[in-house]
Amino acid sequence: MRIWDGVADDYLGIGSVAVENGVIVAVEENGPSADTRDMSGLTLVPGLIDAHVHMTLDPGLRTPEEQLAVPDEEVRRAMVERADEMVRAGITTARDLGGGKWLEIDLRDRIDAGELVGPRMLCAGQPVTSVGGHCHFWGGEASDADAAAGVIERQVEHGVDLIKVMATGGMLTKGSSPRAAQFDAPSTSAIVRHANARGLDVAAHCHGTEGIAHAANAGVSTIEHCSWIGDDGRRSGYDPDVAAEIARRGIRVSPTISAGWKRFVGGDGKFEKAVKRTFADMRSAGVRLIASTDAGIPGVRHRDLARALPVFAHFAGLTTVEVLRSATSDCADALGLRGVTGRLAHNHAADMVFVDGDPLDDIAALGSPALVLARGRELEGK
């Protein structure tokens, strides 16, 4: 069995991994021991991590109104199915960045208790947003920093793992402008300080450059989307000073590139060139990227992270090993899970994906796992 540990530039070689009680206790590089199950011909990599999903959302529905009309019990049943599909597709950890009724937190807890099959989940609950702002229908509206503190406290009461703030408007909320910042700089900083004081990191939804700057200066942990939308409503607002601040603070960018972005490859090439140029500029500035898909929005299935990775690599100019790190060790570090998952190493969770083929040469090999281990629980791949 060939092993990639989530960090190295190449395979460790033919070896074996010892697991006890869901935890890796040894990684051997010198061939399998006598009592090891024969996995010859397969490649082992760490379980994949999607840094941005929405478990309550049905990707087959096009509008917030349609999503909100689905009865809670139907949503719960669908989430159970999505979680099962995700983990069998090799996604052993996912970060849920927004819902309205904390249903995803109940799902998280049932997975943790072993009642359900699914990925390890980190959940943000109701995002902090402006009055009438992006995803206001989820219940996190706040008119100012004091009101935002109340929203944060409500999430704490429901046991969230982090806080999500809508630093700008979004694409799918009527009356919301992706270009415009939803909170001024002092309010954004106050929101982050309050969350941090409660021991919680902050993920910031950001499309417009002003909101990206507010989030970076406030010291969020991750910037979602980071579209650099300028005054013209296009991806023309890249600001090298803001990018330098993102890099200086060690903030990770989670650009939510799904498999569906393949439709932007080719054609007149304008969008593709603009996005690739911005990614090249960010990477030159030292900005680090993590894998994410925004699963649950229209057309983006929860199980499709592996299909998204080659598309992400194309737009971001990442090598195969770099994009694999973005979905394993780098992502774990960004989500506060360093030492927990993302690597095949001693005392890390046994989150592992066995595949045919050579994923360091062809990422598509991740698309059909032969076997998945999620915290040591064995599951047939899909």
Side-chain angles (χ1 to χ4, degrees):
M1 179 178 67
R2 183 169 49 188
I3 299 172
W4 181 67
D5 67 358
V7 181
D9 291 332
D10 206 342
Y11 295 111
L12 300 181
I14 304 301
S16 62
V17 176
V19 174
E20 293 181 4
N21 299 318
V23 176
I24 296 171
V25 295
V27 179
E28 303 290 344
E29 300 181 37
N30 298 317
S33 60
D35 59 351
T36 298
R37 186 193 306 187
D38 183 9
M39 305 298 281
S40 57
L42 296 178
T43 300
L44 174 62
V45 302
L48 303 180
I49 305 172
D50 192 332
H52 191 137
V53 306
H54 298 280
M55 295 301 294
T56 64
L57 296 184
D58 181 345
L61 301 180
R62 307 300 300 180
T63 68
E65 292 77 16
E66 290 176 283
Q67 299 282 3
L68 294 169
V70 181
D72 287 354
E73 285 310 305
E74 187 174 332
V75 174
R76 290 180 188 275
R77 286 194 297 272
M79 285 197 300
V80 170
E81 294 176 3
R82 290 168 197 148
D84 184 90
E85 289 180 347
M86 287 170 71
V87 76
R88 293 180 190 278
I91 303 166
T92 57
T93 300
R95 187 173 60 159
D96 189 294
L97 290 185
K101 299 179 180 179
W102 306 285
L103 302 181
E104 66 283 354
I105 291 179
D106 178 62
L107 176 69
R108 175 200 68 189
D109 293 347
R110 294 180 68 191
I111 292 170
D112 287 348
E115 296 175 23
L116 297 174
V117 172
R120 171 190 296 99
M121 289 176 55
L122 303 176
C123 300
Q126 297 172 329
V128 181
T129 192
S130 59
V131 176
H134 184 44
C135 295
H136 63 88
F137 40 78
W138 276 340
E141 289 179 301
S143 57
D144 55 25
D146 288 340
V151 175
I152 291 170
E153 289 303 312
R154 188 162 66 246
Q155 309 321 305
V156 171
E157 291 170 5
H158 282 85
V160 298
D161 302 292
L162 74 155
I163 295 298
K164 169 87 169 288
V165 61
M166 300 301 196
T168 72
M171 310 290 187
L172 299 177
T173 304
K174 294 177 181 177
S176 170
S177 170
R179 177 182 60 81
Q182 295 200 152
F183 298 99
D184 61 21
S187 296
T188 306
S189 293
I191 289 167
V192 175
R193 284 197 304 272
H194 190 93
N196 290 168
R198 301 298 265 129
L200 300 172
D201 289 338
V202 177
H205 161 104
C206 300
H207 285 299
T209 301
E210 183 183 25
I212 295 171
H214 291 347
N217 291 324
V220 301
S221 295
T222 64
I223 292 176
E224 309 302 307
H225 314 301
C226 201
S227 308
W228 300 103
I229 294 179
D231 292 338
D232 59 1
R234 300 184 179 186
R235 292 175 177 251
S236 61
Y238 179 76
D239 187 323
D241 292 333
V242 176
E245 184 66 8
I246 293 170
R248 186 187 74 80
R249 288 178 175 266
I251 298 167
R252 306 299 181 94
V253 168
S254 165
T256 61
I257 293 181
S258 67
W261 277 54
K262 192 172 182 179
R263 68 187 184 277
F264 298 126
V265 177
D268 64 14
K270 292 181 180 178
F271 180 85
E272 181 181 6
K273 289 177 182 177
V275 172
K276 293 178 76 171
R277 181 171 59 248
T278 301
F279 272 116
D281 289 342
M282 283 196 289
R283 296 187 66 214
S284 293
V287 175
R288 299 182 69 181
L289 309 172
I290 56 175
S292 54
T293 65
D294 214 353
I297 67 168
V300 182
R301 299 185 302 181
H302 296 78
R303 64 179 181 268
D304 281 351
L305 175 59
R307 291 183 59 238
L309 292 180
V311 184
F312 179 27
H314 171 80
F315 280 98
L318 300 173
T319 66
T320 305
V321 74
E322 286 171 340
V323 78
L324 284 171
R325 288 191 192 113
S326 80
T328 54
S329 58
D330 285 351
C331 205
D333 293 353
L335 272 53
L337 295 173
R338 185 182 182 89
V340 176
T341 191
R343 292 170 171 81
L344 300 180
H346 181 254
N347 277 342
H348 285 61
D351 296 333
M352 306 189 293
V353 181
F354 296 83
V355 298
D356 290 305
D358 181 355
L360 291 188
D361 179 63
D362 181 7
I363 310 172
L366 296 174
S368 301
L371 179 69
V372 177
L373 267 67
R375 289 183 269 193
R377 185 172 183 172
E378 293 190 17
L379 304 158
E380 293 296 326
K382 276 196 173 182

